[in-house]
Amino acid sequence: MNRALATEDVLKNWFNEVKEHLQKLNLLGIHPSRVFNLDESAFFLVPKADSVLARKGSKSVYKVVHGDEKESITVLFTVNAEGTMLPPMILFWYERTPAIVTNNLPPGWIAGNTERG
């Protein structure tokens, strides 16, 4: 659905339809720890602006001048209705993620592989 079309009435109707569907399946009493939401965020490797994302205090920061402006890394963030967050997952386009990459992930993060990243 186009975000511009998401009126209050449209949203209320959507929630009512979901509630009816869950009632039919007898799923309204599910414990919040079993209800998850996942958000996918893309971090572009060739920024359009004159700034780059870098660790605070970095002495050497590089900017890719020539490259695929659409190349990005996808990160998945998953949280349940109870507020527990699963480890973030970075999706790479490798067939098999190199050890140098997995060994340098932030603590608690995991790597996944897809054909397109």
Side-chain angles (χ1 to χ4, degrees):
M1 173 188 347
N2 185 329
R3 290 182 186 192
L5 300 176
T7 65
E8 183 177 346
D9 287 339
V10 168
L11 290 173
K12 283 182 179 180
N13 186 49
W14 182 85
F15 277 102
N16 285 333
E17 288 178 13
V18 170
K19 183 178 180 180
E20 288 173 15
H21 179 71
L22 293 175
Q23 281 175 329
K24 285 179 190 174
L25 298 174
N26 197 26
L27 294 175
L28 278 181
I30 274 188
H31 193 272
S33 66
R34 297 180 58 206
V35 178
F36 288 87
N37 185 51
L38 179 138
D39 184 49
E40 173 183 0
S41 296
F43 295 90
F44 290 93
L45 300 177
V46 181
K48 293 180 182 178
D50 288 332
S51 57
V52 296
L53 185 63
R55 183 170 287 171
K56 187 175 182 176
S58 294
K59 303 266 187 244
S60 300
V61 178
Y62 302 94
K63 178 179 176 184
V64 177
V65 179
H66 300 289
D68 182 358
E69 64 185 32
K70 294 184 179 184
E71 187 174 358
S72 65
I73 292 177
T74 300
V75 182
L76 305 177
F77 297 97
T78 308
V79 180
N80 69 14
E82 214 173 35
T84 303
M85 183 174 176
L86 297 182
M89 176 186 279
I90 301 175
L91 294 178
F92 293 102
W93 56 91
Y94 304 119
E95 204 169 292
R96 182 177 172 158
T97 307
I100 187 112
V101 173
T102 55
N103 293 338
N104 286 290
L105 290 175
W109 287 51
I110 56 176
N113 301 310
T114 67
E115 288 181 15
R116 294 180 14 196

